[in-house]
């Protein structure tokens, strides 16, 4: 632990040198703005981000992308609220409120809230696959039955800090019990191993759907790529199939959904026969960071921060005990079906840096890992932060979460570096991230060597987190 006690979650401890990054490509409006240097650069980028968010606003939420993801996604909404708080604070609160209106009676916050106005087939797998209406305790609106990393309490705290007015405080007060219920669901229903950590039951719950981290546990899920001939994938109609998960991945995704759905999304007895059970370092770091954020929110709304602080400390202790691998000096997911740590070194392992009470030994080891040739974090980054060890033989620079660079991950890691007193590294990461958008626009993800834009060209969390980075 740090000698002075954990710093506040809402306020990273170290100030950071600021500058707008160097563009990697001149093919976008942001590139022109960034090339000239000076304040006009960031105003051009800011306009691009606001235009992107405005175009993706849909009555009470922001779609991640009009084409690829036309409904509401859980952790997207949290990242989006962080950015909206800079420019449209009222929308930031509506974004979070609309998501939590779809919270289930058991406290789970579904990873997708379907927009009933959209045609059948607007996204696959749609409501007809999830059948949430058949489950008691599901909301009136159709949703998935999975969850995503609980970054919402942190988002609510940051949104309030950005616009600390009476309307924000009232919104925070309304959200607080729902955020507590979200944590309670995870702690009570998803601690499959009984070790104080949350278990994810589907790769989609991690948010890093086809990360190499899931290759080992996914290999044990029985499925055949050929089953996909019975379905029409929506994603490959809007993005290059070579940049997306494979048909075999999708066959397994659907098999795991069916297994969970056929148990009516009940979490008891998961250990007996659910095909995918993994403790993820990023998910659990978010779970711990949420308790730190809730402690601060409780203090603001007249609640008791004490129990949140105590739970935060327990989560950090469990993460270190169960997921830290002293041999590699990083955190690794644990496959509960084999009780082994997975071997792939992905960026998920760096995520516990966001915990302000991570012990110094692990912080130092993660900084070594972040600076290594695998991830290349530096005061002047030669290349963007990849999502997977770039020295691995199966590193794939184009395929989704198997190599490409994503702004939400960089944003989290940068936050962790600031929290633990590494402002120069945080500045390098920030410059690199801003440079990606300046060079290619608000893309969903970026080529980890060239910075070329990949996936959706108008992606909401990229725009939102860019706004946060620019104002920081
Ligand atoms: C991606 O995941 C969805 C499934 O949830 C998909 O591929 O269709 C992931 O990048 C996930 O992290 C993200 O929340 C979602 C929407 O942006 O897209």
């Amino acid at each position: 632990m740090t000698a002075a006690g954990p710093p506040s979650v809402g306020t990273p401890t170290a100030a950071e040198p600021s500058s707008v990054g160097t563009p990697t490509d001149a093919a976008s409006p942001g590139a022109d703005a960034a090339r000239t240097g000076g304040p006009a650069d960031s105003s051009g980028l800011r306009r691009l981000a606001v235009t992107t968010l405005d175009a993706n606003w849909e009555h009470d939420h922001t779609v991640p992308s009009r084409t690829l993801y036309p409904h509401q996604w859980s952790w997207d909404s949290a990242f989006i609220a962080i950015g909206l708080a800079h420019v449209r604070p009222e929308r930031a609160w509506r974004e979070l409120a609309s998501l939590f209106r779809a919270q289930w009676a058991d406290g789970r916050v579904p990873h997708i809230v379907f927009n009933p106005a959209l045609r059948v087939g607007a996204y696959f797998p749609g409501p007809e696959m999830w059948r949430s209406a058949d489950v008691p305790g599901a909301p009136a609106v159709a949703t998935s039955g999975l969850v995503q990393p609980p970054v919402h309490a942190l988002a609510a705290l940051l949104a309030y800090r950005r616009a600390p007015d009476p309307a924000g405080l009232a919104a925070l007060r309304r959200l607080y019990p729902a955020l507590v219920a979200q944590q309670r669901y995870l702690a009570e229903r998803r601690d499959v191993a009984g070790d104080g950590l949350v278990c994810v039951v589907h790769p989609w719950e991690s948010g890093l759907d086809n990360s190499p981290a899931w290759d080992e546990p996914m290999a044990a899920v029985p499925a055949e790529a050929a089953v996909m001939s019975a379905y029409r994938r929506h994603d490959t109609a809007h993005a290059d199939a070579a940049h997306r998960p494979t048909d075999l991945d999708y066959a397994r995704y659907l098999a795991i959904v069916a297994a969970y759905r056929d148990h009516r999304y009940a979490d008891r007895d998961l250990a007996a026969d659910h095909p995918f059970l993994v403790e993820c370092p990023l998910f659990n770091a978010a779970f711990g960071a949420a308790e730190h954020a809730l402690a601060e929110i409780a203090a603001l709304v007249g609640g008791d921060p004490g129990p949140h602080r105590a739970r935060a400390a327990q989560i950090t202790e469990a993460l270190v005990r169960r997921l830290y691998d002293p041999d590699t000096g990083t955190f690794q997911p644990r496959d509960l079906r084999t009780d082994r740590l997975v071997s792939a070194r992905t960026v998920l392992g760096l995520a516990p840096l966001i915990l302000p009470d991570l012990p110094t030994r692990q912080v130092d080891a993660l900084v070594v890992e972040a600076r290594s040739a695998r991830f290349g974090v530096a005061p002047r980054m030669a290349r963007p932060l990849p999502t997977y060890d770039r020295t691995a033989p199966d590193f794939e620079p184009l395929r989704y979460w198997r190599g490409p660079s994503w702004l939400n991950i960089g944003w989290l890691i940068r936050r962790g570096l600031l929290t633990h007193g590494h402002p120069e590294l945080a500045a390098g990461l920030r410059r690199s991230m801003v440079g990606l958008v300046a060079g290619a626009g608000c893309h969903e993800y970026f080529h980890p060597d060239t910075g070329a834009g990949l996936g959706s060209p108008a992606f909401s969390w990229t725009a939102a987190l860019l706004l946060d980075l620019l104002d920081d």
Side-chain angles (χ1 to χ4, degrees):
M1 310 268 170
T2 45
S8 136
V9 161
T11 322
T13 47
E16 179 196 359
S18 97
S19 98
V20 170
T22 317
T24 48
D25 164 349
S28 76
D32 282 344
R35 202 171 27 240
T36 56
D41 300 346
S42 40
S43 54
L45 285 178
R46 195 171 276 111
R47 272 199 304 279
L48 175 69
V50 174
T51 306
T52 303
L53 288 173
D54 282 350
N56 288 348
W57 176 255
E58 178 63 50
H59 72 278
D60 62 1
H61 66 275
T62 310
V63 297
S65 147
R66 286 269 166 211
T67 53
L68 267 169
Y69 316 107
H71 301 283
Q72 181 173 28
W73 261 260
S74 170
W75 78 329
D76 297 63
S77 279
F79 292 124
I80 289 164
I82 291 168
L84 283 176
H86 291 263
V87 289
R88 312 248 185 277
E90 185 262 342
R91 279 192 184 175
W93 297 116
R94 281 172 75 191
E95 181 85 41
L96 290 171
S98 63
L99 177 70
F100 278 85
R101 268 199 301 280
Q103 187 168 30
W104 290 30
D106 62 11
R108 91 181 70 197
V109 177
H111 103 290
I112 308 175
V113 182
F114 291 104
N115 177 353
L118 293 188
R119 64 175 173 82
V120 174
Y123 174 77
F124 175 81
E128 64 288 349
M129 181 73 67
W130 298 94
R131 298 181 217 150
S132 60
D134 296 350
V135 184
V141 65
T143 74
S144 79
L146 302 175
V147 296
Q148 274 186 325
V151 284
H152 312 79
L154 177 60
L157 178 64
L158 295 179
Y160 176 70
R161 289 249 152 93
R162 179 55 54 184
D165 54 20
L169 190 58
L172 206 53
R173 190 168 279 126
R174 280 193 298 274
L175 268 177
Y176 175 66
L179 292 164
V180 171
Q182 176 185 30
Q183 291 289 101
R184 193 181 305 124
Y185 166 76
L186 297 172
E188 292 179 1
R189 308 281 178 102
R190 289 300 196 85
D191 183 0
V192 172
D195 60 2
L197 295 181
V198 176
C199 168
V200 297
V201 302
H202 195 296
W204 283 337
E205 296 204 307
S206 74
L208 278 69
D209 305 355
N210 67 341
S211 169
W214 315 135
D215 290 358
E216 288 163 28
M218 280 282 271
V221 177
E224 306 235 349
V227 304
M228 292 311 296
S229 60
Y231 300 102
R232 180 184 294 181
R233 277 179 67 172
H234 164 84
D235 58 327
T236 43
H238 295 278
D240 189 332
H243 303 176
R244 294 283 310 175
T246 63
D247 271 0
L248 181 56
D249 291 331
Y250 260 78
R252 289 180 168 137
Y253 295 153
L254 296 185
I256 306 170
V257 168
Y260 197 34
R261 180 201 60 207
D262 294 349
H263 281 80
R264 312 188 102 203
Y265 304 109
D267 294 309
R268 61 178 181 281
D269 301 334
L270 282 170
D273 57 3
H274 191 72
F276 184 94
L277 296 169
V278 176
E279 292 173 340
C280 167
L282 188 152
F283 197 110
N284 280 288
F287 180 52
E291 290 297 343
H292 285 283
L294 283 170
E296 296 195 39
I297 295 173
L300 286 163
V301 303
D304 180 2
H308 296 300
R309 294 213 183 97
R311 280 197 287 274
Q314 285 162 6
I315 294 166
T316 300
E317 186 277 326
L319 249 169
V320 171
R321 182 166 37 83
R322 291 281 288 169
L323 304 189
Y324 181 68
D325 179 1
D327 293 340
T328 55
T330 188
F331 287 77
Q332 302 285 31
R334 181 176 290 275
D335 183 347
L336 293 184
R337 304 221 63 87
T338 59
D339 201 24
R340 289 220 195 93
L341 296 181
V342 307
S343 55
R345 286 168 90 143
T346 70
V347 80
L348 291 166
L350 302 179
L353 277 173
I354 63 172
L355 293 169
D357 54 355
L358 192 67
T360 308
R361 175 150 176 253
Q362 277 73 32
V363 170
D364 292 348
L366 290 190
V367 170
V368 169
E369 176 75 352
R371 299 189 75 139
S372 73
R374 287 181 283 282
F375 296 102
V377 174
R380 296 225 148 249
M381 304 223 351
R383 289 178 291 184
L385 175 72
T387 36
Y388 182 35
D389 170 3
R390 67 163 74 245
T391 68
D394 56 346
F395 178 74
E396 289 188 77
L398 293 171
R399 203 184 285 279
Y400 215 35
W401 294 100
R402 303 183 69 87
S405 192
W406 291 71
L407 246 69
N408 65 331
I409 298 298
W411 184 90
L412 288 167
I413 305 299
R414 169 182 174 268
R415 213 181 144 71
L417 290 168
L418 281 178
T419 299
H420 294 288
H422 293 278
E424 298 299 329
L425 293 178
L429 203 44
R430 175 183 183 278
R431 199 176 300 114
S432 166
M433 287 189 280
V434 174
L436 284 173
V437 184
C442 288
H443 270 268
E444 184 181 3
Y445 45 104
F446 300 86
H447 192 293
D449 297 324
T450 67
L454 301 168
S456 162
F459 192 65
S460 296
W461 82 40
T462 302
L465 296 177
L466 174 75
L467 286 174
D468 193 60
L469 292 171
L470 289 175
D471 275 5
D472 209 1

